[in-house]
Amino acid sequence: MRIAILGGTQFIGRAITSRLAGEGHELLVVHRGEHEPADLPDVRHAHVDRHDGPALREAVAGFQAEAAVDVSGMNARAAEAALGAFGPGVKLVAISSGDVYRAYDALHAGWTSDALPLTEDSPLRERRFVDGPEYENLEMEERYLPRGATVLRLGAVHGEHDYQRRFEFVLRRVRAGRKRIPVGSGQFLFSRVYVGDVAAAVSLALAGDHRGEAFNVVERATAPYRLFAEQILVAADAPDVELVRVSDERLPADLELTGVLSQHLLMDPGKARSVLGWEPVDPAAGLRESVRWHLANPPADASDDFSADDAALE
């Protein structure tokens, strides 16, 4: 297929581009030109601000896309610009998140809202822009779903090139040689998924016909946060690091997810498995790949201040 990818050079988009190129599709990667990874497959690029509707329409016009994957449609403006650039015959896949569910707002606000696991029919948020004025997946979904798009709601995505550094709460301490890490109860459930498995879900969505449907794309089993931290330590070959239970009020800020939280974010991937035929290849292998990449590519601004750890441990 001829597929346009909006935002195909960073993290999730990068994995999608690599997957679809490897499958033999003809790709046009649309981005601003600020990130040009050297190891990205040799595909066509269009440098344009995807929020600029007329410019985006002009950039994709000559490509004659049969399908489009929107990785960066973060709000109404972005979605409307994209939908204005592609005709009604173009198959659409849009990347969303579990942040659309009411449970996400409850977690932020400190209350309990919903039974688990969260399915595609679970209540959605009423409050908007909980993560800032430019980021609202509800707006994006409200525009894409009526156009017949397949929407993929992701959990916490991890893997190579993860700029959110989801494993850093453990790995920055491993790199510093810390032997004791303070943690809370560690019972929080936050559904995760490896970035390569996200790319596989996109491929399946493009191959099928699931117009106007949303799918949770997360691993079937979710380790509570303490076990998750232990799994990271094993993958990092740091078995001698001890997780020390401390009271929640003593937890350093970057370890707060190991404490007691008001609402779990446990999502059910059953629909994606039964309808799309999607299955994560090997969650344990994905975690190992993530840890390996993060250890080899530490963030330049990683903090070496562990005074809060010391205070909690004392």
Coordinates of all heavy atoms in Angstrom, one line a residue, residues 3 8 10 25 34 39 44 48 58 64 76 81 88 97 100 109 112 117 137 167 172 198 203 220 228 232 255 259:
I3 N 1.3 4.5 1.9 CA 0.8 4.9 3.3 C 1.6 6.1 3.7 O 2.8 6.2 3.7 CB 1.1 3.8 4.3 CG1 0.5 2.4 3.9 CG2 0.6 4.2 5.7 CD1 0.9 1.3 4.7
G8 N 6.5 10.2 11.8 CA 7.1 8.8 11.7 C 8.6 8.7 12.0 O 9.2 7.8 11.6
Q10 N 10.0 9.6 15.4 CA 10.4 9.5 16.8 C 9.6 8.3 17.4 O 8.5 8.0 17.1 CB 10.0 10.7 17.6 CG 10.8 12.0 17.2 CD 10.6 13.0 18.3 OE1 11.2 13.0 19.3 NE2 9.8 14.0 17.9
H25 N 5.7 -1.8 2.1 CA 4.8 -0.7 1.7 C 5.6 0.5 1.2 O 6.7 0.7 1.6 CB 3.9 -0.3 2.9 CG 3.1 -1.4 3.5 ND1 1.9 -1.8 2.8 CD2 3.1 -2.1 4.6 CE1 1.4 -2.8 3.5 NE2 2.1 -3.0 4.6
E34 N 12.7 18.1 12.0 CA 13.6 18.4 13.2 C 14.3 17.1 13.6 O 15.3 17.2 14.4 CB 12.8 18.9 14.3 CG 12.2 20.3 14.0 CD 11.3 20.8 15.1 OE1 11.1 20.0 16.2 OE2 10.7 21.9 15.0
D39 N 19.3 5.8 11.1 CA 18.9 4.4 10.8 C 17.5 4.2 10.4 O 17.0 3.1 10.3 CB 19.2 3.5 12.0 CG 18.4 4.0 13.2 OD1 17.8 5.1 13.2 OD2 18.4 3.2 14.3
R44 N 10.3 8.1 1.5 CA 10.1 9.5 1.1 C 9.8 10.3 2.4 O 9.1 9.8 3.3 CB 9.0 9.6 0.1 CG 9.4 9.0 -1.3 CD 8.2 9.0 -2.2 NE 7.6 10.3 -2.5 CZ 6.6 10.5 -3.3 NH1 6.0 9.5 -3.9 NH2 6.2 11.8 -3.5
V48 N 6.8 19.4 6.7 CA 5.7 20.4 6.8 C 5.2 20.4 8.2 O 5.3 19.4 8.9 CB 4.6 20.0 5.8 CG1 4.0 18.7 6.1 CG2 3.6 21.1 5.7
E58 N -1.1 20.0 0.4 CA -0.2 20.1 -0.8 C 0.9 19.1 -0.7 O 1.3 18.5 -1.7 CB 0.4 21.6 -0.8 CG 1.3 21.8 -2.0 CD 1.8 23.2 -2.1 OE1 1.4 24.0 -1.2 OE2 2.7 23.5 -2.9
Q64 N -0.7 10.4 -3.4 CA -1.9 9.5 -3.7 C -1.9 8.4 -2.7 O -2.0 7.2 -3.1 CB -1.9 9.0 -5.1 CG -2.0 10.2 -6.1 CD -2.1 9.6 -7.6 OE1 -1.5 8.7 -7.9 NE2 -2.9 10.3 -8.4
A76 N -7.7 18.6 18.3 CA -8.7 18.9 17.3 C -8.0 19.5 16.0 O -8.3 19.1 14.9 CB -9.8 19.8 17.8
A81 N -6.7 19.1 10.4 CA -5.8 19.3 9.3 C -5.5 18.0 8.5 O -5.5 18.0 7.3 CB -4.5 19.9 9.9
P88 N -12.0 10.7 1.2 CA -12.8 9.7 1.9 C -12.4 8.3 1.6 O -12.8 7.4 2.4 CB -14.2 10.0 1.4 CG -14.0 10.8 0.1 CD -12.7 11.6 0.3
S97 N -4.6 6.9 23.2 CA -4.1 6.5 24.5 C -5.2 6.1 25.4 O -6.3 6.6 25.3 CB -3.2 7.6 25.0 OG -2.9 7.4 26.4
V100 N -7.8 8.6 27.5 CA -9.2 9.0 27.2 C -10.2 8.6 28.2 O -11.3 9.1 28.3 CB -9.6 8.6 25.8 CG1 -8.7 9.2 24.7 CG2 -9.7 7.1 25.7
A109 N -6.8 13.1 39.8 CA -7.5 13.9 40.8 C -7.6 13.3 42.2 O -8.1 13.8 43.1 CB -9.0 14.2 40.3
T112 N -11.4 7.4 43.0 CA -11.6 6.1 42.3 C -12.9 6.2 41.5 O -14.0 6.5 42.1 CB -11.7 4.9 43.3 OG1 -10.5 4.9 44.1 CG2 -11.8 3.6 42.6
P117 N -11.0 -4.7 34.4 CA -10.2 -3.8 33.5 C -11.0 -2.8 32.7 O -12.2 -3.0 32.5 CB -9.5 -4.8 32.6 CG -10.5 -5.9 32.5 CD -11.2 -6.0 33.8
N137 N -6.5 13.7 23.4 CA -6.8 12.6 22.5 C -8.3 12.5 22.3 O -8.8 12.0 21.3 CB -6.2 11.3 23.1 CG -4.8 11.1 22.6 OD1 -4.4 11.4 21.5 ND2 -4.0 10.6 23.5
F167 N 11.5 3.7 32.2 CA 12.3 2.8 33.1 C 13.3 3.6 33.9 O 14.0 3.0 34.7 CB 13.0 1.8 32.3 CG 12.1 0.8 31.6 CD1 10.8 0.9 31.7 CD2 12.7 -0.3 30.9 CE1 9.9 -0.1 31.1 CE2 11.9 -1.3 30.3 CZ 10.5 -1.1 30.4
R172 N 18.2 4.9 36.5 CA 19.2 6.0 36.9 C 19.9 5.6 38.2 O 21.0 6.0 38.4 CB 18.5 7.3 37.0 CG 17.7 7.7 38.2 CD 17.2 9.1 38.2 NE 16.6 9.5 39.4 CZ 17.2 10.2 40.4 NH1 18.5 10.5 40.3 NH2 16.5 10.6 41.4
V198 N 3.2 -2.3 19.2 CA 2.3 -1.3 18.7 C 2.4 -1.2 17.2 O 1.4 -1.1 16.5 CB 2.7 0.1 19.3 CG1 1.9 1.2 18.7 CG2 2.5 0.1 20.8
S203 N 0.0 -2.4 11.7 CA 0.0 -3.2 10.5 C -1.3 -4.0 10.3 O -1.9 -4.1 9.2 CB 1.2 -4.2 10.5 OG 1.2 -5.0 9.4
R220 N -1.4 -8.5 27.8 CA -2.5 -9.2 28.5 C -2.3 -9.2 30.1 O -3.2 -9.1 30.8 CB -2.6 -10.7 28.1 CG -3.5 -10.9 26.9 CD -3.8 -12.4 26.7 NE -2.7 -13.1 26.4 CZ -2.7 -14.5 26.3 NH1 -3.7 -15.1 26.7 NH2 -1.6 -15.1 26.0
F228 N 7.2 -4.9 38.6 CA 7.7 -4.3 37.4 C 9.1 -3.8 37.7 O 10.1 -4.0 36.9 CB 6.8 -3.1 37.0 CG 7.2 -2.3 35.9 CD1 7.8 -2.9 34.7 CD2 7.1 -0.9 35.9 CE1 8.2 -2.1 33.6 CE2 7.5 -0.1 34.8 CZ 8.0 -0.7 33.7
I232 N 12.7 -5.0 35.9 CA 13.7 -4.1 35.3 C 15.1 -4.4 35.9 O 16.1 -4.5 35.1 CB 13.3 -2.7 35.5 CG1 12.0 -2.3 34.8 CG2 14.5 -1.7 35.1 CD1 11.5 -0.9 35.1
L255 N 9.5 8.3 42.2 CA 9.1 7.0 42.7 C 7.7 7.0 43.2 O 7.2 6.0 43.8 CB 10.1 6.5 43.8 CG 11.5 6.2 43.3 CD1 12.4 6.0 44.5 CD2 11.6 5.0 42.3
G259 N 3.9 4.1 45.0 CA 3.1 4.2 46.2 C 1.6 3.8 46.0 O 1.3 3.2 45.0

